[in-house]
Amino acid sequence: MNAALLDKSRIKQSFAAASATYDQAAALQRRSAIDVTQLAETEGMQGSVLDLGCGTGNLAELLLSAECKPDIVIALDIAASMIEAARCKLNRKKGSKPALNYVCADAERLPFATDSLDGVYSNLALQWCDPLEKVLADLRRILKPGSPLIFSTFGPETLHELKSAWAKVDDLPHVNAFLHEQELMSFLQAAGFSACRIQRTLHISRYASVIDLMRELKQIGAHNSHLARPKNLTGKARMQAMSSAYERHRYGLSIPATFEILLVSARA
């Protein structure tokens, strides 16, 4: 992404508001967290590691219970209410190791010293960083040489049905834009990472209606955060036109929504 395409204040507000409803709607996010953890265990975990964009703590919970545990897990999120939700969940399950710390901070302004971390892990959070190439360069800075960076992020096929339905109504961006594999690889290499690999998976979720899909997106805080998004409330007629366009994808009793997940691994 180019600089300043995302509204950071809206991102923070959206995830803060979703802290109470996130877990009940985040089935896809939980599956992705398992994939990140399994890859992290394959690559090896040790020392002090960061869960970047921890949300309600789904990934951190898996890191805490992994067979190959690090010594310290730092759970970081931009929304204080997400940090509190993670704290309530994780403090009930944490044993003596790993140690668990919480940091409320912006992923675009990381408060860590150079060469201070032994691993960075992130589950479906880095797509909210803008520009991502600067964040990746900073992650390279805070990681010790040779340490792993493993994260999942959404690819450009995500919600293409919703995007095409809105395109029948107007030319405004109603769905966030996501990076292609080639762009991600280029940013990783430019930041100084090596051994870069990207695995691509398509998930098809099904919903009874467009309203059900949009309700779930709201529950997990995944609002349209593009700076050029429509600023006024969507009118009933325009919403009906979009829904009618989306209905062309219906098969049987449900409509599909595609989520493309890119699982990324690299070494500092």
Side-chain angles (χ1 to χ4, degrees), residues 106-124:
D106 188 345
E108 296 172 20
R109 297 176 179 83
L110 293 171
F112 302 106
T114 299
D115 296 344
S116 62
L117 294 178
D118 298 288
V120 172
Y121 309 102
S122 183
N123 181 45
L124 298 178

Side-chain angles (χ1 to χ4, degrees), residues 8-24:
K8 180 53 66 69
S9 63
R10 178 172 171 83
I11 293 170
K12 183 176 181 179
Q13 292 167 2
S14 296
F15 283 105
S19 61
T21 57
Y22 184 91
D23 278 344
Q24 69 190 54

Side-chain angles (χ1 to χ4, degrees), residues 164-179:
S164 65
W166 272 118
K168 302 294 184 182
V169 179
D170 58 40
D171 295 325
L172 295 172
H174 291 268
V175 178
N176 293 321
F178 303 109
L179 294 174

